[in-house]
Amino acid sequence: MAISETMKLALPFVSSLFFLVEAHGQSLPANPVSEPNNKEMRYSELQQEPKIRPPQSIPATRPQPRPSVTAVRDPHCHGNGETAIMCGLVNQYREKHGLKPVQLDDAVSREAQYWSDQLDLQNACWFLYHDHNYHARMRARFPGRRFRENAACSGSTGAGAEFILQKWIDSTGHRQNMLTPEWTKIGVGVKKNIWVIDFTN
C-alpha cells in the first residue's frame, strides 16, 4: 500500500521533469500544424537551437553615421574649437556664393557668447528669442557698425556646427544674414546646444 501511494505521488513529478527537459532542449515554432486526418495537434520539425548563431549581414540600406567636420583649417578663423569650426563653415558657405570670408573676432564673439549663456540660463532652447536690447548693446560696444544675429538650438540631438548651419541655411532670414556681402567679422558663441553668431562690418 505504501509503495502504491509513493508511485502515485512520484508520477506527476517524473512527467513534469520530462516535460521540462524536452522544452529546454527544443526550439518550438509559434504556430502548431494540424494533420488533416488526425485530431491531435503537433509542432512541425522540431530543431535543436544552435548554441552559437552565425553573424547576420548588415543590410545595404543601413544609414551610416555622418562624418565629423574635417574642414580645411580656415586662416580667418583662429583656434580649433567649436567657434572656429562654425566660422569656417560659414566662410565655406559664403565662398560657394561668391562672397568674401569673415574674420572671427574675439570681441564680437564675447557678445555672441553672452547671449548664448543667457539663453542657456533660461532654458530657452525651445523658445529662442533675441535680446530686446541687442542693437543698443552692440552699438555701445562697437560704435558706427551694423549688426545681425543668428541663434539656434540643436535640441536633444547632440548635433554640432554642421547641423546648426543647415538650420540657418533652411531659414530665409538667417540665410540672408550669412550671405550679406558687407560683413567682414563674425562672433560665435555656444553654450551646450545653443548657438549664437553675430555679424558686423
Side-chain angles (χ1 to χ4, degrees):
M1 193 70 177
I3 296 174
S4 170
E5 289 297 327
T6 305
M7 289 180 67
K8 285 181 182 177
L9 291 172
L11 276 173
F13 173 76
V14 171
S15 35
S16 64
L17 180 62
F18 176 77
F19 174 75
L20 287 173
V21 171
E22 286 296 299
H24 178 74
Q26 303 293 337
S27 171
L28 304 179
N31 299 320
V33 178
S34 61
E35 291 280 344
N37 299 324
N38 191 349
K39 293 181 180 179
E40 293 182 2
M41 305 293 282
R42 73 177 183 87
Y43 288 98
S44 62
E45 298 183 3
L46 300 180
Q47 296 180 354
Q48 188 75 24
E49 178 131 1
K51 292 181 180 177
I52 301 175
R53 296 187 178 183
Q56 297 179 352
S57 59
I58 299 172
T61 57
R62 182 177 180 180
Q64 298 298 317
R66 292 183 65 184
S68 59
V69 178
T70 55
V72 177
R73 189 177 182 88
D74 188 328
H76 302 92
C77 307
H78 59 273
N80 53 9
E82 292 177 304
T83 57
I85 290 172
M86 178 60 81
C87 172
L89 290 172
V90 169
N91 278 341
Q92 287 177 19
Y93 185 61
R94 286 172 64 87
E95 185 182 5
K96 287 179 183 177
H97 291 82
L99 299 175
K100 293 180 179 179
V102 289
Q103 182 79 36
L104 185 61
D105 185 281
D106 290 337
V108 181
S109 288
R110 279 193 290 274
E111 298 304 315
Q113 188 62 54
Y114 161 78
W115 191 240
S116 179
D117 291 342
Q118 292 302 307
L119 291 171
D120 177 67
L121 284 172
Q122 298 167 48
N123 297 312
C125 180
W126 305 110
F127 48 95
L128 290 179
Y129 59 96
H130 296 285
D131 182 5
H132 70 281
N133 198 37
Y134 174 71
H135 288 286
R137 173 167 56 89
M138 297 300 277
R139 286 192 195 107
R141 287 159 178 72
F142 310 101
R145 295 191 192 177
R146 294 183 62 239
F147 304 94
R148 286 292 183 273
E149 181 176 77
N150 285 0
C153 181
S154 61
S156 58
T157 64
E162 284 181 310
F163 176 85
I164 295 296
L165 182 82
Q166 191 59 54
K167 288 184 75 169
W168 286 330
I169 290 171
D170 294 339
S171 167
T172 304
H174 295 93
R175 182 173 63 248
Q176 184 177 349
N177 285 347
M178 293 192 292
L179 296 180
T180 299
E182 69 181 273
W183 303 141
T184 59
K185 299 183 188 307
I186 186 176
V188 181
V190 56
K191 183 63 176 287
K192 296 179 183 173
N193 53 356
I194 297 177
W195 293 75
V196 175
I197 55 176
D198 287 317
F199 294 98
T200 185
N201 55 354

